[in-house]
Amino acid sequence: QQPVQSPQAVILREGEDAVINCSSSKALYSVHWYRQKHGEAPVFLMILLKGGEQKGHEKISASFNEKKQQSSLYLTASQLSYSGTYFCGTFANAGGTSYGKLTFGQGTILTVHP
Amino acid sequence: GAGVSQSPSNKVTEKGKDVELRCDPISGHTALYWYRQSLGQGLEFLIYFQGNSAPDKSGLPSDRFSAERTGGSVSTLTIQRTQQEDSAVYLCASSLNVGGIFLKAFFGQGTRLTVV
């Protein structure tokens, strides 16, 4: 079963912030975040491992709450280049190890206007 | 290779014909994935290979779809008796497992399949 992302779409003006959420019904071992621009392949942004960690990448950061089986992606001071579709990808926790099947949420379309 | 390579980049086929899509993963990557992406939609999981283990075929939509991975490297996705609803972009990705952690997946540019 695929993770659920919210919201489905976000429209921002440059400089505004956004949060994209990802929720799973399964116990998770790790979460990946990817961004896909129109007509291109998805590109990796970051990985979060079990343990509630939070990571950052330029002005894009994310958190992972293992107990709640949720992850959130934070985009601050958005830039035009942030526009695209964001996907969370999850790896299930199989008895303390990572199962290798990578399942994606349905995606969140982010549009940043000047 | 430098990245994940997929061929062909575009394929137009007649309804009822069989097609083969090829994926060359990054050398040394043990995990290989196939996804289907219909226009404006998400990444639908199809199949996952890990080393010499039996593949996870749980995402294949019907028995018309099959995939194999030879020698732990190149993979071929075969669609038999294609239907119009098979039209989509088929994406392949590969990744490395280090210390039990699956690292970032690298995607190929995809094969755009059009069934007419």
Side-chain angles (χ1 to χ4, degrees), chain B residues 26-101:
Chain B
I26 293 173
S27 178
H29 279 196
T30 55
L32 186 147
Y33 307 88
W34 282 99
Y35 296 92
R36 179 169 69 177
Q37 188 170 37
S38 300
L39 189 62
Q41 300 301 307
L43 300 163
E44 178 190 3
F45 170 82
L46 296 177
I47 189 167
Y48 152 62
F49 296 90
Q50 170 61 33
N52 295 319
S53 302
D56 183 330
K57 306 179 182 179
S58 59
L60 295 179
S62 75
D63 58 9
R64 295 187 297 105
F65 288 73
S66 63
E68 62 177 19
R69 188 178 186 190
T70 54
S73 181
V74 172
S75 178
T76 303
L77 177 69
T78 301
I79 308 173
Q80 296 179 312
R81 304 182 300 282
T82 52
Q83 304 295 312
Q84 289 188 327
E85 59 263 29
D86 299 335
S87 295
V89 174
Y90 289 81
L91 289 162
C92 175
S94 71
S95 73
L96 201 56
N97 182 306
V98 177
I101 298 168

Side-chain angles (χ1 to χ4, degrees), chain A residues 36-37 39-43 87 104, chain B residues 4-9 21-24 32-38 41-47 75 77 88-94 106-113:
Chain A
Q36 184 179 32
K37 291 187 178 285
E40 299 179 6
V43 174
F87 293 97
F104 288 95
Chain B
V4 178
S5 178
Q6 291 187 246
S7 60
S9 54
L21 313 180
R22 177 187 169 102
C23 172
D24 275 284
L32 186 147
Y33 307 88
W34 282 99
Y35 296 92
R36 179 169 69 177
Q37 188 170 37
S38 300
Q41 300 301 307
L43 300 163
E44 178 190 3
F45 170 82
L46 296 177
I47 189 167
S75 178
L77 177 69
V89 174
Y90 289 81
L91 289 162
C92 175
S94 71
F106 292 82
F107 282 82
Q109 288 304 305
T111 293
R112 181 175 299 278
L113 176 67

Side-chain angles (χ1 to χ4, degrees), chain A residues 1-88:
Chain A
Q1 194 169 3
Q2 65 179 147
V4 176
Q5 288 183 231
S6 63
Q8 291 186 334
V10 183
I11 300 175
L12 300 174
R13 292 217 174 270
E14 269 188 299
E16 292 182 338
D17 303 340
V19 180
I20 300 171
N21 299 301
C22 175
S23 180
S24 174
S25 60
K26 294 183 176 181
L28 300 177
Y29 192 91
S30 64
V31 178
H32 289 195
W33 285 94
Y34 293 79
R35 177 171 61 206
Q36 184 179 32
K37 291 187 178 285
H38 184 68
E40 299 179 6
V43 174
F44 173 84
L45 293 176
M46 66 186 72
I47 179 174
L48 298 112
L49 304 177
K50 66 186 182 72
E53 69 171 358
Q54 187 158 354
K55 297 188 69 173
H57 177 78
E58 298 179 345
K59 293 179 182 177
I60 300 175
S61 62
S63 64
F64 175 31
N65 187 318
E66 177 191 355
K67 289 183 178 179
K68 291 186 177 180
Q69 298 162 190
Q70 294 175 347
S71 178
S72 294
L73 185 71
Y74 308 93
L75 301 105
T76 57
S78 59
Q79 306 169 14
L80 295 177
S81 62
Y82 286 4
S83 292
T85 302
Y86 288 78
F87 293 97
C88 67

